[in-house]
């Protein structure tokens, strides 16, 4: 069996890590390079670095910041935001990223997934899906793009299955309804995707306590849990989370002393 992963997320705007609730009300959470280094040393399994305003501002990801961040960490590192082409993917991988995360560009041009997987390998291609529940159809979620600003009308389950067929190696699944609330992951959403695709699913949006993280794995059947506010605000540490999950008999990579 493959160990379950804990992944701090660095949402970056204007060169700073930010955090909001339901994708709005952003507040400063620190320097991205400093936080990346801290989480790497603290025992995180991977990192995700998302330039959350790049797509809406129609610009590319901040490559220099990616390079400086990658030089500070010793764990796998995913980068997303504003990636529109194979050249963009190549530039970020050359800057030190291990994987790239595609969202809006994948919806706009699904062939980018298959072309990227063919050229760089499926393991490099992470598809980020920002999902919001359709409140008229409670068991349906729709895909949003442009930093959560635009509803595509795409069904999340159907889209997740399509990206697998196109060659994606992993799905980063964010509940927009849960984002930043600390009320728990959308376990129904996470489980619905996890049971319908054969690739790893990263649960994102809503972690507020240790139990929520455990449930992402045990109920949501995710392969990894993305963490932001809990860590940025100092409510929990990577070590505390890992000790708890290990004591709950989950397969977690221990922190090396």
């Amino acid at each position: 069996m493959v160990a379950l992963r804990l992944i701090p997320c660095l949402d970056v705007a204007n060169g700073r890590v930010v955090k909001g609730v339901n994708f709005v009300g952003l507040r400063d959470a620190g320097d991205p390079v400093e936080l990346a280094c801290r989480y790497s040393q603290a025992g995180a399994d991977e990192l995700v670095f998302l330039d959350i305003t790049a797509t809406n501002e129609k610009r590319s990801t901040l490559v220099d910041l990616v390079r400086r961040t990658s030089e500070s960490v010793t764990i796998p590192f995913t980068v997303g935001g504003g990636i529109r082409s194979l050249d963009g993917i190549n530039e970020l991988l050359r800057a030190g990223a291990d994987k790239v995360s595609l969202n809006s560009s994948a919806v706009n041009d699904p062939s980018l997934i298959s072309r990227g997987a063919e050229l760089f390998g499926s393991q490099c291609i992470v598809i980020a899906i920002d999902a919001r529940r359709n409140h008229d159809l409670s068991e349906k979620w729709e895909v949003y793009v442009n930093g959560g600003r635009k509803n595509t009308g795409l069904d999340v389950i159907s889209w997740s299955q399509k990206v697998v067929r196109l060659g994606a190696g992993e799905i980063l699944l964010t509940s927009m309804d849960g984002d930043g609330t600390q009320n728990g992951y959308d376990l129904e959403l996470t489980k619905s995707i996890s049971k319908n695709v054969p690739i790893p699913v990263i649960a994102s949006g809503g972690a507020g306590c240790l139990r929520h993280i455990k449930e992402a794995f045990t109920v949501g059947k995710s392969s990894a849990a993305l963490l932001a506010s809990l860590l940025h605000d100092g409510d929990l540490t990577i070590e505390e989370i890992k000790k708890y999950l290990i004591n709950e008999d989950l397969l977690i990579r221990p922190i090396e002393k």
Side-chain angles (χ1 to χ4, degrees):
M1 292 181 64
V2 178
L4 303 169
R5 293 167 290 152
L6 297 177
I7 307 178
C9 182
L10 306 179
D11 289 334
V12 174
N14 300 316
R16 298 285 294 179
V17 177
V18 296
K19 196 69 193 84
V21 178
N22 305 133
F23 283 41
V24 296
L26 300 179
R27 57 183 171 81
D28 187 273
D31 176 76
V33 178
E34 179 183 322
L35 284 175
C37 187
R38 181 191 308 169
Y39 294 143
S40 177
Q41 293 174 348
D45 298 300
E46 296 185 20
L47 288 168
V48 167
F49 168 68
L50 299 176
D51 188 340
I52 62 172
T53 58
T55 296
N56 197 53
E57 294 172 359
K58 296 182 172 57
R59 59 172 175 78
S60 59
T61 303
L62 303 173
V63 175
D64 180 62
L65 182 58
V66 172
R67 183 176 292 108
R68 290 188 293 114
T69 302
S70 68
E71 290 171 351
S72 301
V73 304
T74 58
I75 54 179
F77 184 41
T78 300
V79 180
I83 306 169
R84 301 178 185 85
S85 66
L86 294 178
D87 286 343
I89 295 173
N90 184 55
E91 186 176 28
L92 291 170
L93 294 176
R94 288 177 64 86
D98 297 278
K99 312 175 194 177
V100 295
S101 172
L102 307 175
N103 187 344
S104 302
S105 59
V107 172
N108 295 332
D109 179 14
S111 75
L112 183 60
I113 303 172
S114 53
R115 290 184 290 123
E118 181 177 357
L119 189 59
F120 303 108
S122 290
Q123 78 285 350
C124 286
I125 307 300
V126 178
I127 300 302
I129 301 178
D130 295 335
R132 173 165 278 166
R133 188 183 292 268
N134 182 318
H135 292 288
D136 295 324
L137 301 168
S138 61
E139 295 185 1
K140 178 180 174 67
W141 296 266
E142 293 169 321
V143 176
Y144 280 68
V145 295
N146 290 12
R149 296 171 178 84
K150 178 183 177 182
N151 182 4
T152 67
L154 289 171
D155 175 72
V156 169
I157 296 176
S158 297
W159 175 237
S160 67
Q161 293 172 324
K162 181 174 180 176
V163 304
V164 172
R165 292 195 298 272
L166 290 169
E170 194 163 32
I171 290 173
L172 170 52
L173 178 66
T174 298
S175 165
M176 292 181 64
D177 302 296
D179 176 69
T181 64
Q182 297 196 4
N183 291 327
Y185 296 97
D186 187 331
L187 300 174
E188 186 180 0
L189 167 65
T190 306
K191 184 177 180 179
S192 294
I193 303 305
S194 296
K195 73 180 184 181
N196 277 290
V197 299
I199 61 175
V201 173
I202 305 170
S204 170
C209 64
L210 292 168
R211 176 175 56 83
H212 291 160
I213 302 168
K214 175 187 174 182
E215 288 174 342
F217 297 126
T218 58
V219 181
K221 305 302 181 184
S222 68
S223 299
L226 206 71
L227 304 166
S229 301
L230 272 180
L231 298 177
H232 300 340
D233 295 339
D235 297 330
L236 287 170
T237 66
I238 296 290
E239 183 174 14
E240 288 170 336
I241 298 169
K242 286 201 167 189
K243 283 184 176 179
Y244 167 79
L245 295 174
I246 290 170
N247 287 336
E248 293 293 313
D249 294 325
L250 294 182
L251 184 57
I252 301 292
R253 186 178 295 108
I255 296 175
E256 297 180 3
K257 297 295 186 179

